[in-house]
Amino acid sequence: MVNVKLLNNYQDLLNPIHSFLLCKTPKQWIEQAADPEKLPLLLTDHLHCELKAAQSAGLLLRRYVVDNETSKQILEWLEPYETRVYRGHLLNSDDALTHENNKKNQQVPRLQLENGEAWQHELLNRMVLLMKEELHHFDQVFSIIEANNIELQPTTAARYAAGMLRHIRGSEVGGLVDKLIIGGIIEARSCERFAALVPHLPESIARFYVSLLRSEARHFEDYLTLAQMVAREDIQARTQEFLRIEKKLIESPDKVLRFHSGPVM
């Protein structure tokens, strides 16, 4: 019951998320994800999700905001994290020491935009902050995986994100607005799932997930604010359209269990 009490302390963070999403995670998915044998899979997929969130933020900056030199800095910032997760195994003692030294020496690039529209400056500020947080959470999940002696394995992506991305409009402005709306929905669903899993996790991991909820609960609103700035018109109808797509993806059966999958049939 301690886990439930932990979660209740942050109900005020969950209320806007539950009001935004059109459905809660199906009980069948929670039951499947609560299986202790599935914890290594969920943590590994969660690790990939944190990296993908940072990569997606970086891609938005590279595509819509920064110049080639700054784009290169973003790629260099992400490279050590990509190397760690895609090589598919934990660090040995020598690698761990090297990694800790690299973390101390690595400087987050000072990304600046001298010109540009107001939404570009806002996108830069918010996405850089989001990348910092997501990569920090990547490190935290990686540490949990190491502490539990979980071997990293390649994982296939869930159909979840692709199921929404295929509906993105082809126009420059419309495409960016859709990407930002989708980013907001994914962030909201991630937080909803953190909360759904808390009562079923070991105490130390449950506390970590509550801390993620506290840290990331505002991310979906950041994305929607940016989408509104770019669109310069009401985005409610378009947001509801993607929310309906997301609801169908979450509630319909999946072939594999993933952090953002539907129930496995």
Side-chain angles (χ1 to χ4, degrees):
M1 296 301 295
V2 177
N3 290 346
V4 176
K5 291 179 180 178
L6 275 173
L7 189 56
N8 287 341
N9 291 336
Y10 299 101
Q11 192 61 43
D12 59 331
L13 297 175
L14 282 171
N15 288 337
I17 292 169
H18 287 155
S19 296
F20 174 64
L21 297 171
L22 298 185
C23 69
K24 292 186 178 181
T25 290
K27 291 183 179 179
Q28 187 176 4
W29 183 92
I30 298 174
E31 292 170 356
Q32 293 168 347
D35 182 351
E37 293 185 359
K38 297 293 193 299
L39 184 59
L41 171 63
L42 284 178
L43 287 172
T44 301
D45 194 47
H46 183 186
L47 184 75
H48 283 81
C49 289
E50 296 291 352
L51 178 58
K52 288 174 184 175
Q55 289 173 321
S56 296
L59 185 59
L60 287 174
L61 293 177
R62 293 170 53 223
R63 172 68 177 81
Y64 296 102
V65 178
V66 301
D67 58 21
N68 289 337
E69 182 60 32
T70 306
S71 179
K72 182 180 178 182
Q73 292 181 55
I74 292 172
L75 292 175
E76 290 174 349
W77 185 13
L78 289 167
E79 191 274 333
Y81 299 90
E82 293 170 338
T83 298
R84 288 163 63 196
V85 73
Y86 294 138
R87 69 181 175 183
H89 61 81
L90 298 180
L91 303 177
N92 60 38
S93 57
D94 291 337
D95 287 340
L97 180 61
T98 299
H99 168 63
E100 287 303 315
N101 289 334
N102 287 342
K103 281 174 62 178
K104 293 177 182 178
N105 294 331
Q106 185 179 10
Q107 297 293 321
V108 175
R110 296 176 61 87
L111 306 181
Q112 296 179 340
L113 182 65
E114 293 184 4
N115 301 307
E117 299 186 43
W119 66 263
Q120 290 179 303
H121 288 273
E122 192 68 15
L123 184 68
L124 179 66
N125 292 335
R126 296 199 186 209
M127 290 299 103
V128 168
L129 178 59
L130 186 142
M131 288 181 69
K132 290 179 182 178
E133 292 186 357
E134 301 291 4
L135 294 175
H136 174 60
H137 297 157
F138 174 98
D139 279 326
Q140 290 177 300
V141 178
F142 196 89
S143 295
I144 292 172
I145 288 173
E146 284 189 306
N148 287 272
N149 296 314
I150 297 171
E151 183 176 356
L152 292 180
Q153 298 290 343
T155 59
T156 56
R159 62 190 170 90
Y160 177 75
M164 288 185 283
L165 291 171
R166 67 168 57 101
H167 296 278
I168 288 176
R169 290 170 287 183
S171 62
E172 184 82 359
V173 173
L176 175 55
V177 170
D178 288 351
K179 291 173 187 177
L180 291 168
I181 291 172
I182 291 170
I185 293 172
I186 293 173
E187 290 289 339
R189 179 60 65 186
S190 296
C191 287
E192 191 266 347
R193 291 228 153 152
F194 294 153
L197 285 170
V198 162
H200 308 282
L201 295 170
E203 183 67 21
S204 61
I205 300 178
R207 288 184 178 277
F208 168 61
Y209 271 38
V210 170
S211 75
L212 287 184
L213 173 61
R214 182 175 55 192
S215 174
E216 297 195 4
R218 76 175 191 281
H219 285 179
F220 86 96
E221 294 172 328
D222 288 344
Y223 270 106
L224 295 178
T225 298
L226 287 166
Q228 186 64 65
M229 287 185 67
V230 174
R232 297 179 180 175
E233 62 183 21
D234 186 65
I235 62 168
Q236 182 64 21
R238 190 63 177 164
T239 302
Q240 289 300 310
E241 184 176 345
F242 276 111
L243 283 169
R244 287 191 290 270
I245 295 169
E246 197 264 355
K247 180 177 185 290
K248 184 176 181 180
L249 290 165
I250 285 298
E251 293 184 333
S252 58
D254 255 307
K255 294 182 179 179
V256 293
L257 183 70
R258 295 291 185 267
F259 200 88
H260 289 103
S261 72
V264 176
M265 298 297 186

